[in-house]
Amino acid sequence: MQPMSSATAKLAAKAAAILAVGALSLTACGGSSTPAASSAGGVQLINTGKLTVCSDVPYEPFEFQKDGKIVGFDMDIAAEVAKDLKAELSVVDSSFEAIETGTALTGCDVSISSVSITDTRKAVMDFSDPYLNDDLTLVATEASGITNIDGAKGKKVGVQQATTGAQYAKDKGLDAQQFEDTGLLVQALKAGTIDAALGNQSVLGYAIKDDSKYKRVENYATGEKLGIAIKKGNTAMADQVNSTLKRLTDDGSLKKYETTWFGEAAK
């Protein structure tokens, strides 16, 4: 999961999310004191009739509040997992620290929150099959004339500091301007102080998807994959989640979600 804004902005957004919890009817953390109940496929749910999902809200475009609801790419997938389990979706607003250490899974059936699959995390939780390859992308203004990464040399290119995007730009010989977070990077792109930005396709694709002045020029495979976190050893849940992900892949729904939230991929 890549940060999208400064720590201060993130905390402010988190405070707003907490204030809206009552209106959104989010389930309180900590799970239920009642025994787990079986659902479709013999899956044991923490709360009877509900798929309890931990997510770090807000983190656009994966999970955020809009018109009194929690929406986003992850939430579209979560809703489909719940449907296949014949259960109601219940979202718990959790810290990402609790999610990435696995402690969130003491009160949730799964964690869906733009979680990158890493060996360190696999030591404390299981993962579904990957549901998104969050590779890098180069986005640029149409007016820049940039059509590939070589064409970006000599242009004003921005990256988020200390990220795979920053390293990739350096490896490709770009003298890129570094920004503290992606929010500032996007602001610079839209203000015209840089011609292009290089970073994760999920965040940058979302930032420009409704603005014809910008385009995704190229994608670059870095191997970063996102997965749904599941309690260690819960094979029944893992099988059910993977079954849903396969259905969404086979019927084209997952690709549709990607286009909706991240825009069209680079040609």
Side-chain angles (χ1 to χ4, degrees), residues 195-209:
D195 301 307
L198 201 160
N200 283 90
Q201 62 181 12
S202 59
V203 177
L204 292 182
Y206 176 73
I208 68 165
K209 73 182 186 71

Side-chain angles (χ1 to χ4, degrees), residues 146-169:
I146 297 172
T147 58
N148 55 43
I149 199 161
D150 287 334
K153 292 177 180 177
K155 301 282 189 177
K156 295 178 181 178
V157 180
V159 296
Q160 181 183 346
Q161 65 187 26
T163 63
T164 52
Q167 185 60 50
Y168 192 87

Side-chain angles (χ1 to χ4, degrees), residues 131-209:
Y131 64 88
L132 182 70
N133 296 326
D134 201 10
D135 293 327
L136 298 177
T137 193
L138 177 67
V139 302
T141 62
E142 288 282 359
S144 70
I146 297 172
T147 58
N148 55 43
I149 199 161
D150 287 334
K153 292 177 180 177
K155 301 282 189 177
K156 295 178 181 178
V157 180
V159 296
Q160 181 183 346
Q161 65 187 26
T163 63
T164 52
Q167 185 60 50
Y168 192 87
K170 181 179 179 181
D171 292 343
K172 293 299 179 179
L174 298 181
D175 184 18
Q177 181 177 348
Q178 300 204 11
F179 293 84
E180 183 180 352
D181 58 61
T182 305
L184 294 174
L185 174 61
V186 170
Q187 287 176 26
L189 181 68
K190 295 196 172 184
T193 58
I194 57 175
D195 301 307
L198 201 160
N200 283 90
Q201 62 181 12
S202 59
V203 177
L204 292 182
Y206 176 73
I208 68 165
K209 73 182 186 71

Side-chain angles (χ1 to χ4, degrees), residues 55-100:
S55 193
D56 181 20
V57 184
Y59 186 73
E60 297 184 41
F62 291 93
E63 42 268 336
F64 62 100
Q65 296 177 32
K66 182 178 181 180
D67 299 328
K69 294 177 61 179
I70 296 180
V71 300
F73 180 68
D74 283 341
M75 294 300 101
D76 284 347
I77 294 172
E80 292 298 317
V81 174
K83 184 174 79 172
D84 286 350
L85 283 166
K86 297 179 173 57
E88 176 188 348
L89 176 61
S90 178
V91 181
V92 173
D93 186 6
S94 176
S95 71
F96 194 72
E97 180 181 7
I99 290 171
E100 71 171 344

Side-chain angles (χ1 to χ4, degrees), residues 17-80:
I18 292 171
L19 289 173
V21 164
L24 293 168
S25 299
L26 298 183
T27 304
C29 290
S32 171
S33 59
T34 57
S38 293
S39 185
V43 173
Q44 299 292 310
L45 297 176
I46 291 175
N47 296 293
T48 304
K50 295 181 179 181
L51 175 68
T52 308
V53 174
C54 272
S55 193
D56 181 20
V57 184
Y59 186 73
E60 297 184 41
F62 291 93
E63 42 268 336
F64 62 100
Q65 296 177 32
K66 182 178 181 180
D67 299 328
K69 294 177 61 179
I70 296 180
V71 300
F73 180 68
D74 283 341
M75 294 300 101
D76 284 347
I77 294 172
E80 292 298 317

